[in-house]
Amino acid sequence: MTTPRPLVAGNWKMNGLVAALDELGALDAGLKASDPAPVCDVMICPPATLLAQAARRVKGPGSSILIGAQNCHREVSGAYTGDVSAEMLAEAGARAVIVGHSERRDKATYAETDEQVMEKAQACWRGGLSAIICIGETESQRRGGEALAVVSGQLLGSLPEGAKAENTVIAYEPVWAIGSGLTPTVDDVAEVHDLIRKLLVERMGNAGKRVRILYGGSVKPANARELMGVSNVNGALVGGASLKAADFLGIIAAYA
Ligand code: PEP
């Protein structure tokens, strides 16, 4: 099977003023100094306010950091106060957008549905961007033995027809592992990632073998190597530990 090149993506969420770009500079310098160089793609998804500046900051010679966004609207433009389209994000320098993060699917906040996530993924492609589609079960769903059914339902409900390995990344993020310091066992991660791979191949044929499936939820330098070794884990989506260059570099080092 063709093994996809791993992706380690950092989601800064609603964190970071201009001064935070110094961490991006430190990350860039750290990557350039890494010997051996990590065998993975590296992405930072800052808040939308920093996107253009972040993209300029990593444009220099030898820089390999990709910039991504954290959300987009389904439409190109229009009367959607406060929203940002994929085309706008692309113009600002984004290469990908995280869609359907559990913080946006959460019923108590934005309550995004699979259908809305699918529309956003289509908007990403329309704008020439990759979609990083997040899926994952809550703690009560896992306890109730529903994790595999929930993940399958979200994947099939959020992944548009016509997905390609080049424009689609799936991030499995158990909601209960995000920001909690808890992680599933490697066997549990393998079970879910193997299922996602199977569903991708059923939907996309051989191209489904090349889609990157990231694990997200309390990834740290201390557990990155173990998680990256799990079957069908092709990288990580990292929240808290992406805010400091030293921590993020510690995770990326697992891919050297
Ligand atoms: C996330 O929010 O996508 C995430 C994985 O967060 P953390 O790494 O902090 O658990």
Side-chain angles (χ1 to χ4, degrees), residues 11 13 101 103 173 177-180 216-219 237-241:
N11 172 12
K13 310 192 184 187
H101 190 281
E103 287 153 17
E173 300 205 301
I178 293 178
S180 64
S218 296
V219 179
L237 182 54
V238 184

Side-chain angles (χ1 to χ4, degrees), residues 13-14 45-53 68-71 84 89 92:
K13 310 192 184 187
M14 198 174 73
C45 303
T49 47
L50 294 181
L51 247 164
Q53 289 174 82
Q70 301 174 17
N71 183 35
V84 180
L89 297 168

Side-chain angles (χ1 to χ4, degrees), residues 2-127:
T2 328
T3 310
R5 180 176 167 86
L7 168 67
V8 181
N11 172 12
W12 282 6
K13 310 192 184 187
M14 198 174 73
N15 295 295
L17 301 175
V18 170
L21 294 175
D22 289 348
E23 291 299 324
L24 189 63
L27 175 64
D28 198 21
L31 286 172
K32 284 174 180 157
S34 298
D35 185 15
V39 186
C40 64
D41 291 334
V42 174
M43 181 181 289
I44 289 290
C45 303
T49 47
L50 294 181
L51 247 164
Q53 289 174 82
R56 278 198 293 277
R57 189 88 174 230
V58 299
K59 226 174 169 177
S63 179
S64 56
I65 302 174
L66 303 166
I67 297 298
Q70 301 174 17
N71 183 35
C72 68
H73 194 274
R74 67 171 194 276
E75 300 292 346
V76 180
S77 60
Y80 301 104
T81 302
D83 268 313
V84 180
S85 72
E87 284 76 3
M88 292 168 176
L89 297 168
E91 189 180 62
R95 301 280 296 277
V97 185
I98 298 169
V99 295
H101 190 281
S102 61
E103 287 153 17
R104 300 209 62 97
R105 289 180 182 267
D106 188 346
K107 302 249 180 317
T109 54
Y110 304 101
E112 287 185 8
T113 62
D114 287 340
E115 194 183 358
Q116 288 170 311
V117 176
M118 183 187 278
E119 288 171 347
K120 290 182 180 204
Q122 286 166 324
C124 292
W125 300 346
R126 184 193 64 218

